Amino acid sequence: MTDSNDRSASVFVHPTADVESGAQVGDGTKVWHLAHIRSSAQVGAGCVIGRNVYVDAGVTVGDLVKIQNNVSVYQGVTIEDEVFVGPCAVFTNDFRPRAQNPDWTITPTLVRRGASIGANATLVCGIEVGEYAMIAAGSVVTRDVKPYQLVAGNPARPKGWVDAKGEVISRDVDNPPHQG
């Protein structure tokens, strides 16, 4: 991982992108047009950070993550390795947002390895998305998502189970199949 002040040749940052001093960006990562990575953010190796993506200070993004265009990843969010975040997805970090709140605290969100988040999904803070879970496009996720679980809707509800490749393997929402 290289500091934003000492980028290795294997990290590509588009000339219109802003990677602040103190941000860490891993080898082989590509940061595209108008993306903004704040100081103290950590982005792993082999990632793709799409156009107009905002990665806030203190955010951790693992290796081999793909964050598509127009995604906002706010402070308090941790994204583990091999996660896919579709275009225009949004993470929140405040249960009771107000323009002025001196008692404001960040509520963390965790996205586990291999999970996929569909386009235009909103993840309300304070949740955990399990390994290889699949969140359908346009979903509003207000509760934890179990590993390999498929959720959809507003609010997002269980719709079945997927395998590590994202294929639906069961529509029985109450009984997850054995993963192995």
Side-chain angles (χ1 to χ4, degrees):
M1 193 165 288
T2 57
D3 186 279
S4 61
N5 295 325
D6 181 32
R7 257 184 236 118
S8 78
S10 70
V11 173
F12 171 80
V13 178
H14 190 273
T16 63
D18 182 6
V19 179
E20 293 181 8
S21 179
Q24 300 287 313
V25 179
D27 291 339
T29 290
K30 293 178 172 68
V31 181
W32 290 102
H33 307 73
L34 304 170
H36 186 176
I37 300 176
R38 298 282 313 276
S39 65
S40 74
Q42 294 183 353
V43 177
C47 295
V48 177
I49 306 298
R51 180 185 177 95
N52 199 40
V53 169
Y54 177 75
V55 180
D56 203 357
V59 165
T60 299
V61 175
D63 296 335
L64 303 172
V65 171
K66 186 171 191 176
I67 302 176
Q68 300 254 278
N69 299 352
N70 302 308
V71 173
S72 296
V73 186
Y74 293 111
Q75 193 172 21
V77 174
T78 300
I79 298 173
E80 292 185 348
D81 298 344
E82 300 177 6
V83 169
F84 173 85
V85 183
C88 303
V90 174
F91 296 87
T92 67
N93 66 359
D94 190 349
F95 273 128
R96 294 168 197 84
R98 295 286 187 224
Q100 299 297 316
N101 182 355
D103 298 326
W104 179 69
T105 58
I106 293 170
T107 303
T109 297
L110 176 59
V111 182
R112 295 282 187 187
R113 176 187 197 93
S116 291
I117 300 168
N120 291 307
T122 299
L123 282 75
V124 176
C125 56
I127 63 168
E128 181 175 323
V129 177
E131 287 188 337
Y132 298 99
M134 178 80 67
I135 297 171
S139 296
V140 178
V141 184
T142 61
R143 297 180 181 157
D144 289 351
V145 180
K146 295 177 183 174
Y148 298 93
Q149 191 171 45
L150 169 64
V151 299
N154 181 3
R157 297 283 187 240
K159 300 294 180 184
W161 304 92
V162 297
D163 63 14
K165 294 179 183 178
E167 297 289 331
V168 176
I169 56 174
S170 174
R171 293 288 182 177
D172 182 349
V173 300
D174 295 321
N175 297 303
H178 173 70
Q179 298 287 334

